Every structure is written in structure tokens, then in C-alpha cells.
Amino acid sequence: METSGQQFIAGKRRSGTSGERYEVTNPATGEVLATDTLAGPEDVDEAVAAARAVFAEWSRTTPAERSEAMLRWADQLEARAEEFARAESRIGGKPIRLASGFDIPGSIDNVRFFAGAARHLEGRASAEYSGEHTSTIRREPIGVIGSIAPWNYPLQMAAWKVLPAVAAGNTVVLKPSELTPLTSVMFAEAAQEAGIPDGVVNIVTGSGPVAGQALVTHPDIAMVSFTGSTAVGRQVAAQAAGLAKRVHLELGGKAPFVVFDDADLEATARGAVAGALINAGQDCTAATRAYVQRPVYEAFVARVAELMDGVRLGPVDDPATDMGSLISLRQRDKVAAMVENAREAGATIVRGGRIPDGPLGRGAYYEPTLITDAAQDSAIVQQEIFGPVLVCLPFDSDDDALRLANDTPYGLAASAWTSNVFRAGRASREIQAGCVWINDHIPIISEMPHGGYKASGFGKDMSVYSFDEYTNVKHVMSENTGVPHKSWHDTVFTSR
Ligand code: NDP
């Protein structure tokens, strides 16, 4: 793993020029993994210029050429999968089992999916709608895309941002979180090794307020694709609106997990623990609010508590570790403060709610936490926590369950658990979210879109739907008669 030079601009790895030094650390241990200088506006300018310079060449490659290059890219990643998994685990404080079983294979699959999808870019019309003209639809790349990504799944977020854009013939400048740049730079290097021209994928590692802002407001950035918190997403959208710039927003979530009384209790409890604790809860689709029908409520809470007791916190490179640390001490303290506030407001902390004792307590670890007796309008139920915390609340009727599920500003993902096909159908229709799982929670696949409703943003990542974000639709209308005086000219003049 190369640890210095966290900019990748025009095919070269180097340090930033802002003069501001920073460290990338393993949040589980505090170990410093890389020390470097952040990107400033000049680095962003250089990266945008590199992406702009190669746009004409890349956008004119055939779909087959882009596809072949991307398949080689996937092979490069696969050949280095272990190295990627180790790096991803260390920068994110995530268990090696998660990195090597989910993050890395998921990202490789994404590359292969978009290598195939590049060959299926298509418009929907080719016909004579006016009788005298043939209309066709062209889908064209937009230009240089400015992408901004969060820290929770660094490689997957880089993949989700870069791949549909590049497959469609755009070029990209990606700003990863300054906490987790290493695997994004390795990802761009692998593209170069696969023969993708320099400048197609550039990485600028800088802070949001400096490099992020420079990217959003840059006149040569044709579109901003942002994944992160709703608060920052709103700022980015406001700025993009002022510049009449296209924007794609993947924002926060607060996923409900609705358990009807006819659900398989064991499957549901296991789904809740895995869905709430994956990546230490730092997942925008994590199960955060379990609404459980009253007859099965107590049994559900008891079984979830029991399963949480078996979740092993430990060093991230130990294959036996189930849950790693949060991304930073700051994030851990934010989660701890939210749980403390909930306790003071009258909620019951059934499990966890603590920073672990001993050596783990020196890293950013927080215990798996189960909370009951919280009010629906309290912060712990309404706001995104981004930590290993599940709140359970009872409900009586199906109407109540669906009303409560929809009662937050967010709408990214949700699940409903039932053996009744009609309840499942109603929940999938009425829950306002970009994804509703039935009898599961979390799985994602490259072929299907990911994106939010409401304050969770708009636009889609993954799947061919993402091409709607990263292409312009052009209508080409060709006159077919060849006559000098067209029938519509009569509306202006009639002399023949
Ligand atoms: P932030 O919104 O804090 O940051 C996201 C990115 O935006 C980072 O790269 C950050 O840079 C950058 N940024 C910060 N301020 C600005 C600014 N003023 N202008 C431009 N860029 C800026 O989110 P987090 O990194 O804390 O990530 C967690 C959030 O991401 C959660 O809300 C989560 O739900 C959401 N998320 C959503 C997903 C989805 O698909 N809907 C997927 C994954 C996460 P830096 O931090 O380096 O300063």
C-alpha cells in the first residue's frame, strides 16, 4: 500500500499544494497510516484541466473500447483484492471480514457491471412522429463530473460515483473524504494500469470547505455528484442551483424496520442485528428504527439483545472480529452524546450505550446499543446517528406501522417483515423510500438502483438508471421530404 501522495492528477500520484498537512489514521488503533498535504484550489484546477483535456478522446471511444478497458480494470482490482481489503479495513476501522467479503468484491462486481452496461447505452425513440421527419434520441456524456464522496465505504463510494460516469464517456474528478483517501487513489491507479487514459479518473484529496467547494463552483465542472450528509448536500444543491449546474444527491437515511406479528421472529431478529450493526452502523441504509407489532414486541427485543451480546468487538485485522470501530473519536463521541441525550429524555438503554473498557476504548469503538421507550418525535428516532444503535418501538395496527415508518424527513431505504403477501405488498407500495426490502435488510446489487426519496436526495447510483444522471438526452430531428417549402412554413408565409 502506497501511503504518500494522496492526489492522483493526470495519471500522477503526488501531494497537494494547500500547505495544510494531515494524517490518515486507523481509527481502531490511532496508528498513522499516511501523512500528506491536502489539495487546494490549484490542485482542483489542475485535475479539472486534465479531465477536460482528455474528454474529447474518452467520449469518442466506442462502448466496446470502454467496456474492455473496464473489464481490465476489474481484473487489476481482483489481482490486488487482498491489498485493497487490508487498506480499506485499516482506513475505515472495519473488520477484515467485512472489507474482504463485502466492500472489495462489491466494488469489483460494480466495475464488471458497468463494463457491460457501457454497451447498452440507448435512447428510446427512432420513428417518424411528424410524418415528415425522423426523430432519434442520442445519449451523450455531459463532460467533466465533480464527485464528492463520504468515508463510510470509501472504495464502494468511489466506485459508485466514478463508474457510471466513465462508462457513459464522461471524465471525473473525485474528492474522497480526507479521512479515507487511500483506496480511492489505488482505485484510480488501477484504472491507469488497465489502460484507461490519464485524466479520465482524477482524485483530489482535500477538505470539503476547500477542495469540495472548489470542485462544486468550478466553471468547467458540468455536473456535481454528491454523496454525504443531508446538511452538506443542501449547501451543495443551493450552490449548484445558483450556477444552473446539474446535481445528483445521495444523502442521509434513517431506515425503518417494520416487524408484523406474523413474521419469522428468528429471521427478523437476526436481520435487525446485522442490518443495524453492519459497518458499525455507519451505513446510510442501516436499520435504525424497528417498529414491532405489540404481540411479538417483547420477544423480539429479548432476542435482539441476546444476539447483540454475541457480537464480538476486536482488532480489525482479526478474522474473528464481528464489529470494528467507528470512523473517528469525533464520530464515536457524537454517537455517545446522542445516546446520552436519549437516556436523559427517558429512553431505556437495553444493551450497550457505552465506550468499551480496556484497549478498545482507546480506539473509536462503541458497543452495540439497543434502545426502547424512546418517543417517536425524539432526536434518537428522527435524526441520523451513523453508529451501532437500534431503537425498538411497538405498534398496534398496520396503519400505525406505515405512518411511523414514513414519519422522518428521510426516505432512503426500509424493510417490512411478514409472511402475509398482502401486508408485504401494501408496505412496499406505501413506504416512501428508494428501496423497500421484504424479509431482509441491506443487500444491494449492481443491477438495481440505489437512491433516495425526500431529504435522502434524488438521482440513482448503480444500475442502468444511473445513466440518466450522467448523460444528456439529445433529440435529433431529420427532415425527410427534401421539398423547399415545408407544410409548416404556411404558418409564416404561403407564397410558393
Ligand atoms: P459529509 O456530508 O460531512 O461529507 C461528505 C463529503 O462532502 C466529504 O467528502 C466532505 O469532505 C465533503 N464536504 C464537506 N463539506 C463540504 C462543502 N461545504 N462543500 C463540498 N463538499 C463538502 O458526510 P460524511 O462524510 O460525514 O458521511 C456520512 C453521511 O453520508 C451520512 O449522512 C450518510 O447517510 C451519507 N451517505 C449517504 C449515502 C447514500 O447513498 N445516500 C451513502 C453513504 C453515506 P471532508 O469530510 O473531507 O471535509
Side-chain angles (χ1 to χ4, degrees):
M1 173 173 55
E2 181 66 62
T3 56
S4 64
Q6 295 306 317
Q7 318 298 331
F8 192 78
I9 299 174
K12 292 192 184 57
R13 188 192 259 272
R14 63 165 175 79
S15 297
T17 62
S18 69
E20 195 184 330
R21 300 290 288 166
Y22 78 109
E23 287 175 344
V24 179
T25 57
N26 178 341
T29 60
E31 177 199 2
V32 176
L33 302 172
T35 307
D36 204 15
T37 309
L38 288 173
E42 284 161 23
D43 302 301
V44 172
D45 280 349
E46 211 179 300
V48 174
R52 195 164 176 233
V54 75
F55 175 71
E57 176 191 339
W58 183 247
S59 61
R60 285 182 200 142
T61 51
T62 63
E65 286 165 342
R66 291 200 292 280
S67 176
E68 280 159 23
M70 292 179 79
L71 288 172
R72 292 194 298 270
W73 192 359
D75 292 343
Q76 289 290 338
L77 298 176
E78 199 150 55
R80 293 171 65 187
E82 271 182 40
E83 188 193 344
F84 268 95
R86 269 196 311 278
E88 193 76 344
S89 156
R90 292 168 78 196
I91 57 178
K94 55 176 94 198
I96 190 69
R97 235 174 48 229
L98 176 67
S100 56
F102 181 70
D103 296 72
I104 310 307
S107 303
I108 296 170
D109 183 67
N110 235 244
V111 185
R112 294 220 164 94
F113 170 78
F114 277 107
R119 304 184 75 162
H120 290 275
L121 263 175
E122 55 189 27
R124 283 195 207 104
S126 183
E128 288 67 44
Y129 297 95
S130 82
E132 292 172 352
H133 305 82
T134 297
S135 285
T136 51
I137 292 292
R138 292 173 57 84
R139 256 182 197 279
E140 298 181 345
I142 296 171
V144 181
I145 311 296
S147 292
I148 298 177
W151 41 255
N152 59 339
Y153 292 104
L155 182 63
Q156 292 202 76
M157 291 303 102
W160 290 14
K161 301 275 94 178
V162 168
L163 296 171
V166 164
N170 301 282
T171 57
V172 179
V173 179
L174 169 75
K175 191 204 89 59
S177 163
E178 66 190 84
L179 298 175
T180 55
L182 306 196
T183 46
S184 301
V185 175
M186 290 162 64
F187 183 59
E189 272 178 341
Q192 182 183 48
E193 282 154 16
I196 292 178
D198 291 350
V200 173
V201 182
N202 304 277
I203 309 292
V204 287
T205 300
S207 73
V210 177
Q213 279 297 292
L215 207 51
V216 171
T217 56
H218 200 292
D220 291 334
I221 289 289
M223 167 183 165
V224 179
S225 177
F226 174 86
T227 300
S229 61
T230 297
V232 177
R234 285 193 174 120
Q235 281 177 43
V236 167
Q239 285 175 317
L243 299 163
K245 198 171 275 203
R246 192 156 163 160
V247 67
H248 169 198
L249 299 176
E250 297 284 352
L251 307 177
K254 188 74 188 173
F257 185 103
V258 179
V259 181
F260 293 101
D261 56 7
D262 54 24
D264 175 333
L265 192 67
E266 184 62 16
T268 309
R270 285 175 180 273
V273 172
L277 302 185
I278 185 167
N279 207 32
Q282 302 162 115
D283 183 310
C284 49
T285 63
T288 57
R289 304 176 282 141
Y291 297 106
V292 187
Q293 203 150 15
R294 210 171 292 273
V296 294
Y297 178 72
E298 276 183 23
F300 175 84
V301 171
R303 185 63 182 139
V304 167
E306 199 177 5
L307 288 169
M308 276 190 178
D309 289 341
V311 171
R312 292 161 299 190
L313 274 58
V316 295
D317 51 6
D318 181 347
T321 293
D322 296 321
M323 202 180 97
S325 76
L326 302 195
I327 189 63
S328 62
L329 295 173
R330 191 166 150 235
Q331 181 69 13
R332 181 200 67 182
D333 293 346
K334 183 188 147 203
V335 171
M338 286 186 79
V339 172
E340 220 32 62
N341 288 343
R343 196 195 312 257
E344 280 164 20
T348 304
I349 314 300
V350 179
R351 283 294 185 280
R354 292 175 61 247
I355 293 165
D357 299 326
L360 294 185
R362 291 196 281 281
Y365 287 85
Y366 194 73
E367 289 184 353
T369 298
L370 177 61
I371 297 180
T372 58
D373 305 318
Q376 173 64 19
D377 62 358
S378 63
I380 203 87
V381 176
Q382 291 291 323
Q383 294 173 12
E384 191 174 38
I385 306 171
F386 238 50
V389 180
L390 178 67
V391 182
C392 289
L393 299 173
F395 72 84
D396 290 307
S397 70
D398 290 23
D399 286 349
D400 285 345
L402 299 177
R403 181 180 52 76
L404 292 165
N406 286 330
D407 178 33
T408 73
Y410 297 105
L412 188 60
S415 64
W417 297 72
T418 175
S419 54
N420 179 319
V421 68
F422 302 109
R423 276 178 153 168
R426 183 176 172 205
S428 61
R429 283 192 303 278
E430 294 189 18
I431 295 179
Q432 296 154 3
C435 172
V436 177
W437 289 284
I438 303 295
N439 294 325
D440 209 341
H441 195 112
I442 290 296
I444 46 170
I445 39 175
S446 299
E447 288 82 353
M448 288 292 123
H450 170 88
Y453 283 22
K454 296 159 56 181
S456 294
F458 47 80
K460 298 295 177 196
D461 280 332
M462 305 207 292
S463 80
V464 290
Y465 290 93
S466 62
F467 287 145
D468 292 342
E469 317 302 328
Y470 294 103
T471 53
N472 280 320
V473 170
K474 181 186 279 178
H475 172 208
V476 178
M477 197 171 193
S478 306
E479 209 278 334
N480 289 334
T481 68
V483 298
H485 191 88
K486 321 280 191 247
S487 56
W488 75 268
H489 291 176
D490 289 349
T491 61
V492 184
F493 65 107
T494 54
S495 67
R496 306 270 157 174

